[in-house]
């Protein structure tokens, strides 16, 4: 997948079915040390709660335990920014995959010690996305 940067993350498109894209995204994230801690069907939630219909989209809350542990040791309140977010959205041509910019996220803590952890997490996520 070709990855492009936007204001607060990274994204790209894959030309496969939504279900295959979701499964493959979880697979490559796991191969890079990220487990799925939460899976939110935002399209279904909006439809059920307020009757709004959007394309199928799953929000994945992913976590790399080693990196999360290091971040928490540096800044206990960083748990407010965890887990990391990756989304898979259905598009007419396949699926759009996006991931949050971890450097930007931890910058709000104003704790420079988190920059290295965020850089490592971001590198792993970008490697995973490139494999899609």
């Amino acid at each position: 997948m070709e990855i492009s940067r936007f204001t607060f993350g990274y994204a790209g498109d894959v030309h496969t079915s939504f279900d295959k894209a979701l499964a493959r995204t979880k697979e490559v994230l796991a191969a890079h040390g990220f487990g799925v801690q939460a899976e939110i069907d935002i399209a279904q939630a909006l439809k059920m709660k307020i009757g709004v219909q959007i394309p199928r989209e799953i929000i994945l809350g992913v976590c790399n335990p080693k990196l999360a542990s290091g971040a928490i040791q540096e800044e206990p309140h960083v748990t407010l920014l965890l887990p990391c977010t990756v989304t898979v959205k259905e598009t007419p041509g396949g699926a759009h995959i996006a991931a949050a910019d971890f450097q930007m996220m931890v910058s709000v803590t104003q704790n420079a010690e988190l920059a290295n952890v965020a850089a490592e997490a971001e590198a792993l996520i970008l490697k995973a996305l490139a494999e899609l």
Side-chain angles (χ1 to χ4, degrees), residues 69-119:
S69 175
I72 292 166
Q73 289 176 22
E74 293 296 338
E75 175 62 59
H77 288 113
V78 78
T79 53
L80 290 168
L81 302 174
L82 299 176
C84 301
T85 303
V86 175
T87 61
V88 180
K89 177 193 267 185
E90 189 170 41
T91 64
H96 183 76
I97 319 296
D101 177 340
F102 305 139
Q103 301 268 4
M104 185 272 312
M105 285 175 45
V106 300
S107 71
V108 301
T109 68
Q110 298 182 355
N111 182 335
E113 300 300 320
L114 290 175
N116 291 334
V117 176

Side-chain angles (χ1 to χ4, degrees), residues 46-73:
L46 292 177
K47 184 177 179 181
M48 289 179 66
K49 301 287 183 180
I50 60 173
V52 172
Q53 192 157 348
I54 63 171
R56 289 173 69 191
E57 185 168 4
I58 300 294
I59 300 170
L60 300 173
V62 301
C63 182
N64 179 306
K66 177 183 157 261
L67 296 175
S69 175
I72 292 166
Q73 289 176 22

